[in-house]
Amino acid sequence: MIRAVPPSVAMTRGPSDRARELLAGAYDTHVHIGPDVVPRIVDDLTLARRFQGLGMAGFVLKSHYTSTAERASVVSAAVPEVRVLGAVALNRAIGGMNPLAVEVAAREGARTVWFPTVDSVNESHAREAPPGAKVPVWVKLQLELREQGIEIEPVPVVDAGGAVLPETRAVLATIARHQLVLATGHLARDEIFAVVDAAVAEGVREIVITHPEFPSQDLSVEDQLALTRRGALLERCFTTPHTGKIEWERWIENIRATGAANSVLSTDLGQVFNPPVEDGMALMVDRLLEAGFDEQEVHTMAVRNTRRVAAAQAP
């Protein structure tokens, strides 16, 4: 059944009641919230209580700089009705492609391992912004650290010939052993394919292609389909179209072309200039309903696949 949503509802009046209802039991598997080294719109305890009030199941805490596994355990204990999951991003602050960091995070209960994001080789050009240029908060931090004499080297995952490095393979083996989720982070197109193929060979069961529409990824529909044939899910983040990095229409068409079953919704929210984190998933649901996706398709992307990423039993 297709439910029409008034065109203005998603952005001018907030999420619809129906969108909220459809998110019962859903997870947001990609949020950036406080405490963090850059300003965030909300802290983790407050967000957990908001999720509880909305009937959402939980969220995955992402930091570009540290493991969030211990934090997640504390928040889950404080708000037991909401399951908060930790993660680790393999940036330079935790040693880059560091299998020990993954091993420790796994033993502490982490669920997701993001490959390099802010410190990926693919993003290294962003640090060369001219003085006074408007840059993302993470680039601003990089530049501040550089001024203090702290130079952060990019984290490679492949060699000059495009083959995955031994340390990359060791990380993938650790992810497979603990049955964690591999998220591809801000890798470039060729790096993504090399890492995904190596992950499949190592026995990694859950692979998420991080925001494939993001400018530093910008994967074609053909590439996205090729990755789904390898068993990967395609992450559809709210912030990518909301901040104008891609048109909503193209975002919608990419989902349509690759299939709802292969897409998982998340928000990537937490920035102080963006909507409340707890609204992001519902705003996406309204967009999808408005575009003609039926409620079962929405449930697949927003609930079933988010619960798959969170290793929660499907409702």
Side-chain angles (χ1 to χ4, degrees), residues 162-216:
V164 296
L165 295 167
E167 53 265 39
T168 302
R169 200 168 291 279
V171 163
L172 293 172
T174 307
I175 292 172
R177 184 168 63 254
H178 288 284
Q179 297 184 28
L180 305 179
V181 174
L182 163 65
T184 54
H186 291 206
L187 301 183
R189 184 261 183 201
D190 291 350
E191 293 174 317
I192 290 171
F193 274 88
V195 165
V196 169
D197 285 343
V200 171
E202 291 293 335
V204 176
R205 297 183 183 179
E206 295 292 353
I207 302 170
V208 175
I209 308 303
T210 308
H211 42 49
E213 287 86 19
F214 202 76
S216 55

Side-chain angles (χ1 to χ4, degrees), residues 15 20 32 50 55 81 105 120 125 134 166-167 199 211 227 247 276 282:
R20 296 287 196 199
H32 297 273
R50 292 177 184 175
E81 298 83 1
S120 67
H125 67 280
K134 184 178 180 181
E167 53 265 39
H211 42 49
L227 290 163
E247 300 82 7

Side-chain angles (χ1 to χ4, degrees), residues 128-182:
E128 307 309 320
K134 184 178 180 181
V135 296
V137 290
W138 62 267
V139 174
K140 183 180 179 182
L141 176 62
Q142 300 268 21
L143 296 176
E144 289 175 358
L145 292 172
R146 178 181 288 174
E147 289 177 0
Q148 297 172 24
I150 303 173
E151 189 65 45
I152 304 173
E153 292 297 321
V155 178
V157 300
V158 298
D159 64 20
V164 296
L165 295 167
E167 53 265 39
T168 302
R169 200 168 291 279
V171 163
L172 293 172
T174 307
I175 292 172
R177 184 168 63 254
H178 288 284
Q179 297 184 28
L180 305 179
V181 174
L182 163 65

Side-chain angles (χ1 to χ4, degrees), residues 153-291:
E153 292 297 321
V155 178
V157 300
V158 298
D159 64 20
V164 296
L165 295 167
E167 53 265 39
T168 302
R169 200 168 291 279
V171 163
L172 293 172
T174 307
I175 292 172
R177 184 168 63 254
H178 288 284
Q179 297 184 28
L180 305 179
V181 174
L182 163 65
T184 54
H186 291 206
L187 301 183
R189 184 261 183 201
D190 291 350
E191 293 174 317
I192 290 171
F193 274 88
V195 165
V196 169
D197 285 343
V200 171
E202 291 293 335
V204 176
R205 297 183 183 179
E206 295 292 353
I207 302 170
V208 175
I209 308 303
T210 308
H211 42 49
E213 287 86 19
F214 202 76
S216 55
Q217 283 69 65
D218 194 23
L219 298 177
S220 68
V221 167
E222 292 74 18
D223 283 342
Q224 293 184 33
L225 285 168
L227 290 163
T228 67
R229 289 192 288 270
R230 290 160 166 82
L233 283 172
L234 303 164
E235 182 190 39
R236 310 300 185 179
C237 290
F238 172 80
T239 56
T240 310
H242 177 74
T243 58
K245 294 178 177 67
I246 185 177
E247 300 82 7
W248 278 103
E249 292 76 15
R250 183 179 162 209
W251 185 84
I252 292 286
E253 286 308 310
N254 284 355
I255 296 174
R256 205 184 310 277
T258 55
N262 295 316
S263 292
V264 57
L265 303 186
S266 71
T267 67
D268 197 9
L269 280 172
Q271 305 80 12
V272 296
F273 50 81
N274 273 331
V277 177
E278 66 274 13
D279 287 352
M281 292 283 285
L283 290 170
M284 281 192 289
V285 166
D286 276 329
R287 285 279 188 172
L288 291 163
L289 292 173
E290 183 181 329

